Every structure is written in structure tokens, then in C-alpha cells.
């Protein structure tokens, strides 16, 4: 089962939902970079279950441990291993899933493909796998911020039929997004979204929605056509998140309703800097699979949580038709907790593209990157 990502900044996650622990091994991190474990923990806290009555009540602290690759607070160039122990598993709630498949879940496909599966908590298909991605991406976030000034901010843009009124007035910080538990920076819409989620929770049902994400200060030149285009890598990373079913860059599907003359992003030279810019950003910061220096704008669609508490028709391991009433603890809506996961996978793609570009084109690095002070302190 493939569990790795990246060319330079290589990430390999491990662990299952109800196993002893979950985590990640990160390779390709340059030596001498300060690692602020409190920043990693902050990102994991935004992802963890039990945050509010909108999420699963599974009570996990998701406390991270760094067990290799860091010495006296700095990377040493060797693989970095980060581990989070599972502390609140209730595996007995999943015993009826040993022989019965949940509709729209990965139970059936895992069984068919591998002939054996961990039925408790969803095993490897659980969103708990994303702990490793979020932990690794916290390191990526630090590198991107220190070297390039890149900031990635995601938020809930819609839940069910309730859409935010944000438009292109994008939030500039994660703190702005986290002002409410829905993680929608439009307070009026957030209240409606909260009511809808609680209604679904009370009914034993679930609801989906969309998350939008912007990366600020992205320099031009990241991404490698034709098979490592930045939008292609982003699509693969985003769609690999559990429950994610759709991906857009820039205008996305709505761009199909426009003409070329109204959709094209016309160029101009920015006064004062001499930089080539675009008057609009329907391309979402990407042209030809390469970043063009504008804001990277993507949107992801998430289906309603598969495991619900309503009776559903299904089949069992013997191929017999039966019914299922699920037990356990599940999110009535994955969107609020998926916000930091979207930010994480975007940052993983961006840091890998950055380190690759830096390696193959030192002149690009000299032009677009700012050299952090900690590089100057290295004894080279």
C-alpha cells in the first residue's frame, strides 16, 4: 500500500486509526533549520477530534513526539520521525463491521483489493492517517514562510446549501479563520452552517461542503511540466484526502461559462517593482502547470461523512444483502477539521516544488528566495 509522497521533501505516513500510534517520516529537510515543536502541535490541535460539538467526540490530545532528525532544536539532515499515540480507541464499537460493509466507505474496496483489512475505525482509510501529513506540513510551512514568505490559508466556503459571502475578500490569516468553530470567516454564514451541522448530527445523518484555500506570496517558476505540473501535483495531494471528491484551480468549472476574452488574465508591469503581474486571477496563480507569481487559489469538495447512524442497505462478507446501523464516533461534517488538512497537503506540494526548483536552478533561488538568518549561522 503506497504511503509516500514527494521528490525532495519526502513524506511517508504510517499507522491506523485504532493502532498503537500514527505518524510520519520526513526526508529531504535541509540541515540547520530550527524546528519549533509548538508550531507542529498547534497545527495538530486544529485537526484533532473532539474540538467542539460539531465534530466526533473521540477525545485525543494528539500530542506529537519527535524521535529522530532533530538535535538541539535544529534539523541535522537525517530523516525526521514524528509520532502521535492513539489514546482513546473504542474498538468494540466496530465489531459489526468485521463482516459488513459501510455504504460509500472504503470497507468493500479495501477487502476486495487486499483480501484482509483493519475494520476498526476504518484502519488506514481513516482520516486519522492525515495526522502524519499535518505534522510534516508544519515543518514545510516553516520553511516556506522563512525562505519565501509564503502563507497558506484555507477556510470553509460552503456546507450543504449554505455558501459563504466571502467572494474574493479572502482571509489573510489562520487566526481570522479560527474565530469560530466552523472555520468560516463569514460570521453570518458560519451561524447557518453550524445550525445545519447540528441538525444533521441530531438526525444521525451527515453533510458535505467545500473548502477554499489561498497561498500568498508564491513566487513564479514552481512546477515542472509535463507530468509534474503544480496543479497536477496539487490535485493528486488534495484528492488523496479522505472524503475529498472534487478539485478546482482558480475559476475552475465556473470558467467554462466564460469566453476567452473575459477569462484571460491580461499581463501588466507593476509600477515600482517591474514585476510581471496579471490584472485578474482566473488562472488561480498557475499557467502551464507553473506558478506565475499571483495568489494560488484552489477549492476542494468533500462528500458527506459515509458513516451515519441511519439504517442503510448493504452487503456482508458472504455477499449477502443485509442492513447496517453504524456505531462509534464520527464527524457529522468533516469540513471544519479538514481545513488544516487542506493547508497541510498544499504546503507539502509547495515545499517539494520549492526545494526541487532550488536544487535545479540556483539563479532562481538567488532571485526569489530570501536567505533566513539561520542559514548564515551554519559552519560551512
Amino acid at each position: 500500500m503506497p504511503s509516500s509522497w514527494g521528490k525532495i521533501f519526502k513524506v511517508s505516513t504510517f499507522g491506523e486509526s485504532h493502532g498503537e500510534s500514527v505518524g510520519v517520516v520526513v526526508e529531504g529537510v535541509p540541515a540547520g533549520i530550527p524546528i519549533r515543536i509548538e508550531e507542529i502541535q498547534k497545527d495538530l490541535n486544529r485537526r484533532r477530534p473532539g474540538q467542539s460539538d460539531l465534530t466526533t467526540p473521540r477525545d485525543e490530545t494528539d500530542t506529537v513526539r519527535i524521535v529522530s532528525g532533530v538535535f538541539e532544536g535544529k534539523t541535522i539532515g537525517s530523516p525526521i520521525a514524528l509520532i502521535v499515540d492513539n489514546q482513546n480507541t473504542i474498538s468494540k464499537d466496530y465489531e459489526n463491521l468485521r463482516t459488513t460493509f459501510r455504504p460509500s466507505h472504503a470497507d468493500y474496496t479495501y477487502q476486495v483489493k487486499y483480501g484482509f483489512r483493519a475494520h476498526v475505525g476504518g484502519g488506514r482509510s481513516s482520516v486519522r492517517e492525515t495526522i502524519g501529513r499535518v505534522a510534516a506540513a508544519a515543518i514545510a510551512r516553516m520553511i516556506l514562510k522563512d525562505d519565501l514568505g509564503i502563507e497558506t490559508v484555507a477556510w470553509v466556503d460552503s456546507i450543504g446549501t449554505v455558501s459563504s459571502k466571502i467572494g474574493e475578500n479572502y482571509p489573510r490569516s489562520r487566526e481570522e479563520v479560527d474565530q469560530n468553530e466552523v472555520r468560516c470567516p463569514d460570521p453570518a454564514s458560519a451561524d447557518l452552517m453550524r445550525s445545519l451541522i447540528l441538525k444533521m448530527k441530531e438526525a444521525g445523518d451527515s453533510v458535505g461542503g467545500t473548502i477554499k484555500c489561498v497561498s500568498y506570496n508564491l513566487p513564479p517558476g514552481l512546477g515542472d511540466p509535463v507530468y509534474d505540473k503544480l496543479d497536477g501535483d496539487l490535485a493528486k495531494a488534495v484528492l488523496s484526502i479522505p472524503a475529498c471528491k472534487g478539485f478546482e484551480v482558480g475559476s475552475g468549472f465556473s470558467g467554462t461559462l466564460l469566453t476567452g476574452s473575459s477569462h484571460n488574465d491580461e499581463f501588466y508591469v507593476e509600477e515600482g517593482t517591474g514585476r510581471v503581474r496579471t490584472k485578474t486571477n482566473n488562472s488561480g496563480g498557475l499557467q502551464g502547470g507553473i506558478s506565475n507569481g499571483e495568489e494560488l487559489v484552489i477549492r476542494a469538495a468533500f462528500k458527506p461523512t459515509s458513516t451515519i447512524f441511519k439504517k442503510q442497505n448493504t452487503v456482508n462478507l458472504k455477499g449477502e444483502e443485509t442492513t447496517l446501523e453504524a456505531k462509534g464516533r464520527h464527524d457529522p461534517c468533516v469540513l471544519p477539521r479538514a481545513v488544516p488538512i487542506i493547508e497541510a497537503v498544499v504546503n507539502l506540494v509547495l515545499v517539494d516544488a520549492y526545494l526541487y526548483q532550488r536544487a535545479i536552478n540556483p539563479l532562481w533561488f538567488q532571485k526569489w528566495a530570501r536567505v533566513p538568518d539561520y542559514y548564515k549561522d551554519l559552519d560551512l
Side-chain angles (χ1 to χ4, degrees):
M1 187 183 296
S3 298
S4 299
W5 169 269
K7 292 184 292 187
I8 303 293
F9 193 97
K10 297 180 180 179
V11 171
S12 299
T13 65
F14 60 85
E16 294 80 42
S17 176
H18 282 218
E20 183 174 330
S21 59
V22 292
V24 65
V25 175
V26 187
E27 298 178 76
V29 182
I33 295 178
I35 297 297
R36 302 180 289 277
I37 192 169
E38 65 275 9
E39 286 294 310
I40 302 175
Q41 190 61 58
K42 184 187 298 183
D43 286 5
L44 289 173
N45 290 345
R46 296 179 76 224
R47 193 225 69 93
R48 76 175 183 85
Q51 296 179 42
S52 71
D53 55 355
L54 301 182
T55 67
T56 168
R58 179 170 175 171
D59 187 15
E60 296 278 2
T61 63
D62 285 352
T63 303
V64 66
R65 293 179 287 128
I66 301 177
V67 299
S68 70
V70 176
F71 177 69
E72 294 182 345
K74 292 185 179 182
T75 59
I76 56 177
S78 62
I80 302 171
L82 303 104
I83 295 177
V84 169
D85 294 328
N86 293 325
Q87 300 174 324
N88 190 227
T89 59
I90 306 179
S91 298
K92 64 181 179 62
D93 286 345
Y94 296 86
E95 189 56 34
N96 63 332
L97 300 180
R98 183 184 293 274
T99 58
T100 307
F101 305 127
R102 287 170 289 183
S104 287
H105 209 284
D107 298 340
Y108 172 71
T109 50
Y110 268 57
Q111 185 71 41
V112 170
K113 182 173 180 63
Y114 299 107
F116 185 71
R117 63 189 170 89
H119 66 280
V120 290
R124 188 69 176 154
S125 68
S126 169
V127 74
R128 199 144 179 82
E129 177 273 337
T130 61
I131 283 177
R133 300 195 227 184
V134 173
I139 299 174
R141 179 169 60 82
M142 296 177 210
I143 295 173
L144 292 169
K145 176 66 181 300
D146 291 344
D147 285 22
L148 298 170
I150 292 175
E151 294 270 14
T152 298
V153 180
W155 66 94
V156 173
D157 201 43
S158 70
I159 290 181
T161 58
V162 181
S163 297
S164 74
K165 303 299 189 292
I166 293 170
E168 294 186 4
N169 187 26
Y170 304 145
R172 303 292 305 190
S173 69
R174 298 187 303 166
E175 289 72 23
E176 187 178 346
V177 171
D178 287 352
Q179 287 182 5
N180 60 68
E181 57 198 359
V182 181
R183 291 203 167 99
C184 173
D186 172 12
S189 298
D191 288 342
L192 295 174
M193 292 174 182
R194 173 181 166 79
S195 296
L196 178 57
I197 295 172
L198 292 177
K199 181 181 179 181
M200 292 296 104
K201 180 180 180 180
E202 184 178 356
D205 215 329
S206 62
V207 65
T210 63
I211 289 174
K212 207 159 188 176
C213 182
V214 176
S215 293
Y216 298 101
N217 303 319
L218 200 66
L222 300 182
D224 292 271
V226 290
Y227 294 115
D228 291 327
K229 291 182 177 181
L230 198 58
D231 38 5
D233 284 348
L234 285 166
K236 181 176 181 179
V238 170
L239 288 170
S240 70
I241 299 171
C244 187
K245 286 299 193 180
F247 175 81
E248 290 184 339
V249 177
S251 62
F253 290 102
S254 65
T256 64
L257 306 176
L258 303 178
T259 62
S261 58
S262 59
H263 186 270
N264 286 346
D265 299 315
E266 294 185 344
F267 291 111
Y268 73 99
V269 177
E270 186 176 58
E271 186 176 352
T273 67
R275 283 186 58 179
V276 174
R277 303 293 304 274
T278 62
K279 294 180 180 180
T280 54
N281 193 24
N282 290 315
S283 299
L286 299 174
Q287 293 170 335
I290 304 170
S291 62
N292 65 2
E294 301 299 324
E295 294 170 351
L296 171 66
V297 183
I298 68 163
R299 190 166 70 135
F302 285 81
K303 68 177 182 178
T305 312
S306 297
T307 307
I308 59 176
F309 302 108
K310 288 179 173 290
K311 181 180 288 188
Q312 299 180 89
N313 296 318
T314 186
V315 298
N316 61 25
L317 202 56
K318 297 179 181 179
E320 302 167 333
E321 293 184 356
T322 183
T323 59
L324 172 69
E325 286 187 83
K327 301 177 182 179
R329 299 163 296 176
H330 310 282
D331 293 276
C333 178
V334 301
L335 275 296
R337 291 178 59 212
V339 165
I341 301 172
I342 287 287
E343 292 175 351
V345 298
V346 169
N347 282 330
L348 288 175
V349 172
L350 292 182
V351 79
D352 194 45
Y354 161 56
L355 292 176
Y356 185 75
Q357 179 69 11
R358 170 175 154 176
I360 65 172
N361 193 340
L363 293 178
W364 179 94
F365 174 70
Q366 293 173 20
K367 180 175 181 179
W368 295 105
R370 58 193 192 192
V371 181
D373 290 339
Y374 56 74
Y375 283 136
K376 302 173 185 176
D377 295 335
L378 297 181
D379 183 16
L380 300 176

